[in-house]
Amino acid sequence: MGMSTLESQQFAAILEKKLYEVAKERQKYGELPDPVLALYDNITNSKRPYDEFIQLSTIGDIPKFNGKFTTTGLHQGYSTKIKQERFGVMVPTDRDLIDNENFGLIEEIASGLVDGCTRLRRKNAVRPFAFATSTAFDSMESEEGVSLASSAHKTKVPGISTATGFSNSGASALTPVSLAAARINMRKFRNSQGIRYDTSGDNYAILHPDELDFKVQEILGTSKGLYSAEGTKNVQEGKYKHINSMYLSDFSALSWGLIDMNMVKKCLKWSQRITAEYRTTVDFMTMATMQSIYEKHGYGFIDWRFVYWNTVI
């Protein structure tokens, strides 16, 4: 004899409560820090469909005071919009899974949905780097209209030359020499006024795919004789942090970049509107269990001066 209506409602309520607890418990694993996602400035209080960032030009060199102030003005810089994109999926499961005591499989689906959202965020976090030379942005609109890594960055301040200090793009494989060159190039970046950009620090991290992990450890961990028979001191030993991303490996095994850790959160923005919203219900007519997950977030960069990226083919 089948269940009565009251029994069916009680069963559905118990099942939904149990699966919700499974999903919430699984979310704790997703809260463990991800090294690439941690680079972003995380905006969690946004109530708009997009976040807009408008830059102002920096102040130029202060002129000599001759008894009267020299008047200077500010120029509006480029604007960037970061839109929240929606993600979601629903998985139906037949009542037979419970009748045949396969409830554990339904719990695995709940865990899998939450894991899928966690993986989605971590994969999306690497996309600005994986597509650093592309202007086909995922969830942002850039007034400058230039890729993250480019030799053609611009300024809206009139009369400023961009011939020097406005390129953050290279194509060099990772070696001690190319690593040192990336640092030097970053320290030559110029601001919107064409003045050398000073972040008041020497705090850099190498962002790289998993395939380059041993190469990075070799460069940073060798005291003397790195590619030298004379035992010359390796001045780059321990100089940089390094961030190993397996998700970058899905796009390139050779491309890598140097990150200014003092600048990165001012430039990389992550707007998290809804995080892994899990729901479950039991269909009254079929007794099928419906599980869904819904996520809403957006990401992008509002300035390029935090990275020097080498796209290696």
Side-chain angles (χ1 to χ4, degrees), residues 35 48 57-58 60 66 83 105 115 131 139 144 167 180 214 223 226 229 237 274 297 301:
R48 303 176 61 189
S57 66
T58 50
N66 293 314
K83 303 173 292 181
L105 294 178
D115 289 348
F131 298 100
S139 59
E144 185 191 22
S167 172
F214 287 168
S223 298
L226 181 64
E237 179 191 10
I274 297 171
H297 66 247
F301 62 92

Side-chain angles (χ1 to χ4, degrees), residues 47-61:
K47 301 299 181 184
R48 303 176 61 189
Y50 62 86
D51 294 294
E52 186 171 12
F53 303 87
I54 301 175
Q55 296 180 309
L56 287 176
S57 66
T58 50
I59 302 293
D61 291 337

Side-chain angles (χ1 to χ4, degrees), residues 20 23-24 26-32 37 42-46 84-88 113-122 270-279 292-298:
Y20 179 78
K24 292 300 289 183
R26 194 64 181 181
Q27 281 185 340
K28 294 179 181 178
Y29 293 99
E31 293 170 359
L32 296 175
L37 196 53
N42 192 9
I43 303 166
T44 58
N45 58 354
S46 176
Q84 290 101 15
E85 303 287 347
R86 301 192 297 172
F87 307 89
L113 287 171
V114 176
D115 289 348
C117 269
T118 300
R119 186 169 58 251
L120 170 70
R121 288 191 293 275
R122 295 178 176 183
W270 184 280
S271 183
Q272 188 72 42
R273 186 75 174 271
I274 297 171
T275 304
E277 184 179 270
Y278 173 82
R279 293 179 182 268
S292 68
I293 201 85
Y294 178 77
E295 170 103 2
K296 194 172 184 180
H297 66 247

Side-chain angles (χ1 to χ4, degrees), residues 31-302:
E31 293 170 359
L32 296 175
D34 175 74
V36 179
L37 196 53
L39 294 173
Y40 287 78
D41 174 33
N42 192 9
I43 303 166
T44 58
N45 58 354
S46 176
K47 301 299 181 184
R48 303 176 61 189
Y50 62 86
D51 294 294
E52 186 171 12
F53 303 87
I54 301 175
Q55 296 180 309
L56 287 176
S57 66
T58 50
I59 302 293
D61 291 337
I62 307 300
K64 185 176 180 180
F65 182 76
N66 293 314
K68 184 179 180 180
F69 283 117
T70 300
T71 301
T72 187
L74 293 176
H75 297 270
Q76 181 174 313
Y78 295 108
S79 64
T80 305
K81 289 182 179 179
I82 295 179
K83 303 173 292 181
Q84 290 101 15
E85 303 287 347
R86 301 192 297 172
F87 307 89
V89 70
M90 187 270 287
V91 180
T93 50
D94 194 88
R95 171 60 193 269
D96 282 343
L97 286 177
I98 296 175
D99 291 343
N100 297 330
E101 298 184 351
N102 286 325
F103 182 74
L105 294 178
I106 299 180
E107 287 185 326
E108 287 183 15
I109 293 172
S111 298
L113 287 171
V114 176
D115 289 348
C117 269
T118 300
R119 186 169 58 251
L120 170 70
R121 288 191 293 275
R122 295 178 176 183
K123 282 188 171 184
N124 283 348
V126 306
R127 288 181 63 84
F129 302 102
F131 298 100
T133 58
S134 172
T135 56
F137 305 122
D138 291 333
S139 59
M140 62 172 276
E141 296 176 5
S142 170
E143 183 187 4
E144 185 191 22
V146 178
S147 59
L148 172 59
S150 174
S151 60
H153 286 294
K154 299 176 285 186
T155 177
K156 293 178 77 173
V157 179
I160 300 301
S161 172
T162 58
T164 302
F166 284 81
S167 172
N168 68 332
S169 177
S172 299
L174 180 61
T175 66
V177 173
S178 64
L179 178 57
R183 174 181 172 272
I184 291 171
N185 283 327
M186 291 187 75
R187 294 169 73 84
K188 291 181 179 179
F189 286 168
R190 295 182 180 270
N191 62 23
S192 57
Q193 294 277 9
I195 301 169
R196 186 186 286 261
Y197 209 88
D198 180 15
T199 62
S200 300
D202 194 359
N203 183 17
Y204 300 104
I206 308 166
L207 175 60
H208 60 87
D210 198 39
E211 288 83 354
L212 293 179
D213 191 46
F214 287 168
K215 171 71 72 174
V216 171
Q217 292 189 51
E218 179 185 48
I219 295 173
L220 300 184
T222 303
S223 298
K224 294 182 179 180
L226 181 64
Y227 309 135
S228 170
E230 294 80 13
T232 305
K233 178 177 174 57
N234 174 25
V235 296
Q236 296 189 103
E237 179 191 10
K239 186 169 184 61
Y240 310 101
K241 302 178 180 68
H242 66 101
I243 301 169
N244 180 14
S245 172
M246 291 185 292
Y247 292 123
L248 267 180
S249 298
D250 292 339
F251 302 96
S252 172
L254 299 173
S255 297
W256 62 280
L258 197 60
I259 307 291
D260 185 336
M261 299 301 286
N262 291 346
M263 279 289 295
V264 63
K265 286 188 181 294
K266 298 177 182 178
C267 302
L268 276 181
K269 303 295 179 180
W270 184 280
S271 183
Q272 188 72 42
R273 186 75 174 271
I274 297 171
T275 304
E277 184 179 270
Y278 173 82
R279 293 179 182 268
T280 182
T281 188
V282 176
D283 182 71
F284 176 79
M285 295 297 294
T286 65
M287 298 299 290
T289 302
M290 311 289 190
Q291 300 182 74
S292 68
I293 201 85
Y294 178 77
E295 170 103 2
K296 194 172 184 180
H297 66 247
Y299 52 92
F301 62 92
I302 64 173

